[in-house]
């Protein structure tokens, strides 16, 4: 019955490759990995990679490692290491065994670098950054050999040891692979594989003052973990040459079934930035409240906004995995959460911009309780009891002194049905000095109770309401897109594409049963949208609700 179904995963070109590898006997089982760099929070793009890697491991009864690709200590932080683990688990996945770190292999990597040096395949280079760039050549012109390229192996070995022992300053020298300065692939023009960095590392402390580069580290880490299919995004397509070159030249990795890299296109989402560096800028500059601001495309932000893990997994399934670059509509992500919540979220009533309604012929001294289903289609979710009385709140947008026939809400002299309760009729209203309606005086018909009563009344409109004396005050945070441009990544600065109205805060009321609303439970506020309590700021007595998504697609 649910639209959101993670059981049936469609095939894709990567799964086809895996099927072939299993059929041919190249591999007996599948081992993938998700390799984030702990330099920011995970975003919806990472979710695509997570669902792909962990999803494959699940479906093929294989394994998936979580490996922190931690070779840039200055940009990394233990806070990111922790949030990434939390987000992967929240999405519903569990890695195989312990969390891995590339830094676990720093000793091994050092040994492999020494092996390349001994084979005459790596050398210590003292060109400065500008010279290195100049020697590298361009896409049109081949590069030139570094004057240090032919240093004898024994000398390189001594220099590399001196690098490791702190004998050189940062930027003074690097270790480079000796490949081909005329290669059409820039990454093969004697790439740097180690550099000097006197940086404290969150895992290895001050043990190292040289750190290996990504391209050298990643393939070896994959191979050491017996990863069968190393899945990454298309920008690493050229680097696959280097990935294979490193392994081809190390004695430990000559098995015919060793790890191979496959590339797929990254997720780009309209109106969304997907670079951790740019997202970090938004946080650092205070343009959002943090990595978990509900407007952020981070997993933590989406969670706080009210997205469910199932809706994100469903989205990742719908976008598929290909090699085509594309820009996905935000509507697709919103449709996934809307369908999930429409199917599963309890209903409740909230009045976001309240005006008072006084029902003058309701003269009973006590409140009355009316029943309302928690979910219209799921009887097992039960019923809730809603107070009804002489004073209620309705939304300012649901009343007009006069209106044409299209306006099916409350109008002076006409009737409307209160959802789950009675038909009322507006008689007159009070206004403040600015002409805004403050109170509407009504009468109700006691014979019309119920959600869809067969009372024969031809009342077109149904509006929502909350009884005034039991109503709980609540803050509503109404979100719009963070950016006003569909492709904010293309703008020179974020400032010119930032949507000034991405957050609107209003104060209204919610029905009393929401007193203990939990952040992990999203609601449909009837006729308003899907909301959830804010996990940081909402508590009993000070309710704060985030708009997760509108009821319908609004653009
Ligand atoms: P960013 O550009 O946001 O900094 P990154 O690629 O540097 O991302 P990593 O931590 O290295 O971030 O990414 C971990 C894994 O997630 C990598 O395998 C990467 O290819 C994948 N990934 C990152 N962004 C996306 C995306 N938008 N769509 C799909 N996969 C992604
Ligand atoms: Mg990266």
């Amino acid at each position: 019955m649910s639209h959101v179904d993670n059981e049936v995963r469609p095939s894709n070109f990567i799964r086809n490759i895996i099927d072939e590898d299993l059929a041919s006997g190249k591999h007996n089982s599948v081992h993938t990995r998700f390799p984030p760099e702990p330099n920011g929070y995970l975003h919806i793009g990472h979710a695509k990679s997570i669902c792909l890697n962990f999803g494959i491991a699940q479906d093929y009864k294989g394994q998936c490692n979580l490996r922190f690709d931690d070779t840039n200590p200055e940009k990394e932080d233990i806070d990111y290491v922790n949030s990434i683990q939390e987000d992967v688990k929240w999405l519903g996945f569990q890695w195989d065994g312990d969390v891995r770190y590339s830094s676990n292999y720093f000793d091994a990597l050092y040994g492999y670098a020494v092996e390349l040096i001994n084979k005459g395949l790596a050398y210590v280079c003292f060109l400065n950054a500008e010279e290195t760039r100049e020697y590298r050549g361009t896409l049109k012109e081949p590069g030139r050999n570094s004057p240090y390229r032919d240093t004898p192996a024994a000398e390189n070995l001594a220099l590399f040891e001196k690098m490791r022992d702190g004998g050189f300053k940062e930027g003074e020298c690097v270790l480079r692979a000796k490949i081909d300065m005329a290669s059409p692939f820039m990454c093969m023009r004697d790439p740097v594989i180690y550099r000097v960095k006197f940086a404290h590392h969150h895992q290895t402390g001050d043990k190292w003052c040289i750190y290996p580069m990504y391209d050298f580290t990643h393939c070896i880490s994959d191979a050491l973990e017996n990863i069968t299919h190393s899945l990454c995004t298309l920008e690493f397509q050229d680097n696959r040459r280097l990935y294979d070159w490193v392994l081809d030249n190390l004695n430990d990795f000559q098995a015919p079934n060793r790890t191979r890299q496959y590339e797929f296109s990254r997720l780009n989402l309209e109106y969304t930035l997907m670079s951790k560096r740019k997202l970090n800028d938004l946080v650092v500059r205070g343009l959002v409240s943090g990595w978990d601001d509900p407007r952020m495309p981070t997993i933590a932000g989406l969670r706080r906004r009210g997205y469910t893990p199932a809706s994100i997994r469903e989205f990742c399934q719908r976008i598929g995995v290909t090699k085509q670059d594309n820009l996905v509509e935000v509507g697709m992500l919103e449709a996934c959460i809307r369908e999930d919540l429409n199917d599963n979220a309890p209903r409740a009533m909230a009045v976001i911009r309240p005006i008072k309604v006084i029902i003058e012929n309701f003269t009973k001294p006590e409140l009355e309780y009316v029943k309302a289903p928690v979910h219209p289609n799921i009887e097992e979710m039960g019923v809730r009891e809603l107070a009804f009385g002489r004073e209620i709140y309705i939304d300012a947008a649901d009343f007009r002194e006069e209106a044409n026939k299209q306006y099916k809400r409350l109008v002076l002299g006409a009737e409307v049905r209160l959802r789950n309760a009675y038909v009322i009729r507006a008689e007159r209203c009070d206004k403040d000095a600015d002409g805004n309606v403050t109170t509407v005086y009504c009468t109700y018909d006691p014979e019309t109770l119920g959600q869809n009563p067969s009372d024969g009344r031809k009342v077109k409109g149904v509006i929502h309401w909350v009884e005034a004396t039991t109503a709980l005050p609540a803050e509503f945070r109404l979100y719009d897109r963070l950016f006003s441009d569909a492709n904010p990544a293309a703008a020179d600065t974020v400032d010119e594409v930032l949507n000034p109205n991405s957050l609107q805060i209003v104060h209204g009321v919610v029905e009393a049963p929401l007193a203990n609303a939990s952040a992990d439970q999203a609601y449909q506020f009837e006729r308003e949208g899907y909301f959830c309590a804010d996990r940081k700021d909402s508590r009993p007595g000070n309710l704060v609700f985030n708009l997760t998504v509108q009821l319908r697609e609004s653009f």
Side-chain angles (χ1 to χ4, degrees), residues 33-39 43 45-46 48-49 69 231-233 235-236 264-268 274-277:
R33 87 285 171 266
F34 173 63
E37 185 178 351
N39 61 348
H43 54 58
H46 293 113
K48 174 175 179 174
S49 176
D69 192 0
L231 312 177
C232 65
T233 36
E235 66 273 22
F236 295 103
F264 62 95
S265 60
R266 55 196 293 123
L267 168 66
N268 299 303
M274 210 77 90
S275 134
K276 280 185 282 188
R277 184 178 55 77

Side-chain angles (χ1 to χ4, degrees), residues 193-377:
I193 59 175
Y194 262 93
R195 72 259 199 247
V196 177
K197 251 188 210 309
F198 289 90
H200 183 83
H201 189 287
H202 51 99
Q203 301 299 320
T204 57
D206 295 316
K207 177 172 175 193
W208 296 92
C209 65
I210 55 171
Y211 290 96
M213 299 297 285
Y214 171 88
D215 282 317
F216 182 66
T217 310
H218 201 84
C219 52
I220 293 174
S221 306
D222 281 346
L224 289 172
E225 293 177 8
N226 295 313
I227 301 304
T228 55
H229 300 82
S230 177
L231 312 177
C232 65
T233 36
L234 280 173
E235 66 273 22
F236 295 103
Q237 205 158 6
D238 286 355
N239 301 54
R240 176 164 20 95
R241 270 111 197 144
L242 180 50
Y243 186 105
D244 289 336
W245 183 92
V246 170
L247 297 182
D248 283 344
N249 287 294
L250 294 171
N251 298 344
D252 280 353
F253 307 120
Q254 298 311 304
N257 62 346
R258 76 158 189 238
T259 177
R260 281 202 51 181
Q261 174 182 305
Y262 299 92
E263 308 88 17
F264 62 95
S265 60
R266 55 196 293 123
L267 168 66
N268 299 303
L269 193 59
E270 276 184 342
Y271 298 97
T272 308
L273 280 182
M274 210 77 90
S275 134
K276 280 185 282 188
R277 184 178 55 77
K278 291 184 179 173
L279 294 175
N280 187 46
D281 268 0
L282 296 175
V283 174
V284 170
R285 292 182 55 208
L287 297 172
V288 294
S289 66
W291 283 98
D292 64 351
D293 186 300
R295 292 165 293 181
M296 290 281 270
T298 50
I299 304 300
L302 289 164
R303 177 185 187 190
R304 191 168 164 197
R305 178 86 177 250
Y307 276 73
T308 58
S311 69
I312 295 174
R313 293 194 303 261
E314 173 67 15
F315 171 71
C316 291
Q317 195 159 300
R318 286 188 194 177
I319 57 178
V321 177
T322 69
K323 278 181 168 290
Q324 249 74 55
D325 255 325
N326 56 5
L327 187 60
V328 174
E329 289 176 18
V330 187
M332 221 164 134
L333 177 60
E334 293 184 345
C336 292
I337 184 61
R338 192 180 286 120
E339 287 172 25
D340 184 0
L341 297 181
N342 182 43
D343 287 349
N344 301 304
R347 274 41 174 179
M349 290 200 285
V351 177
I352 292 179
R353 293 179 179 83
I355 56 172
K356 176 113 9 126
V357 166
I358 297 180
I359 300 170
E360 294 182 291
N361 62 337
F362 188 97
T363 50
K364 290 179 252 181
E366 267 137 41
L367 293 175
E368 187 182 314
Y369 283 85
V370 301
K371 287 188 183 348
V374 174
H375 192 287
N377 309 327

Side-chain angles (χ1 to χ4, degrees), residues 328-515:
V328 174
E329 289 176 18
V330 187
M332 221 164 134
L333 177 60
E334 293 184 345
C336 292
I337 184 61
R338 192 180 286 120
E339 287 172 25
D340 184 0
L341 297 181
N342 182 43
D343 287 349
N344 301 304
R347 274 41 174 179
M349 290 200 285
V351 177
I352 292 179
R353 293 179 179 83
I355 56 172
K356 176 113 9 126
V357 166
I358 297 180
I359 300 170
E360 294 182 291
N361 62 337
F362 188 97
T363 50
K364 290 179 252 181
E366 267 137 41
L367 293 175
E368 187 182 314
Y369 283 85
V370 301
K371 287 188 183 348
V374 174
H375 192 287
N377 309 327
I378 309 177
E379 220 173 293
E380 305 86 78
M381 287 177 78
V383 291
R384 58 196 209 271
E385 304 243 308
L386 299 176
F388 181 80
R390 183 178 167 82
E391 295 195 6
I392 64 173
Y393 291 113
I394 65 167
D395 200 277
D398 286 338
F399 172 73
R400 284 191 200 162
E401 289 177 81
E402 329 171 15
N404 63 24
K405 289 231 159 48
Q406 260 69 281
Y407 185 79
K408 296 193 176 63
R409 310 184 206 177
L410 188 60
V411 179
L412 281 187
E415 290 188 326
V416 78
R417 191 180 294 281
L418 294 175
R419 192 165 189 85
N420 304 308
Y422 299 95
V423 171
I424 59 170
R425 177 190 174 88
E427 309 292 352
R428 61 185 206 285
C429 65
D430 286 345
K431 288 189 259 188
D432 64 16
D434 299 327
N436 298 314
V437 173
T438 52
T439 310
V440 185
Y441 297 88
C442 295
T443 52
Y444 85 120
D445 180 345
E447 303 302 312
T448 54
L449 179 62
Q451 210 198 3
N452 291 303
S454 48
D455 53 23
R457 293 293 274 271
K458 292 232 160 46
V459 179
K460 288 261 165 53
V462 179
I463 63 172
H464 62 283
W465 54 279
V466 172
E467 194 279 324
T469 63
T470 53
L472 303 170
E475 174 176 315
F476 300 95
R477 297 179 180 169
L478 309 177
Y479 299 104
D480 195 356
R481 306 160 163 152
L482 188 51
F483 299 104
S484 46
D485 191 290
N487 188 7
D492 289 336
T493 65
V494 293
D495 304 73
E496 61 200 71
V497 288
L498 216 51
N499 172 8
N501 302 314
S502 61
L503 169 60
Q504 207 188 340
I505 296 180
V506 289
H507 291 91
V509 294
V510 296
E511 61 181 51
L514 290 181

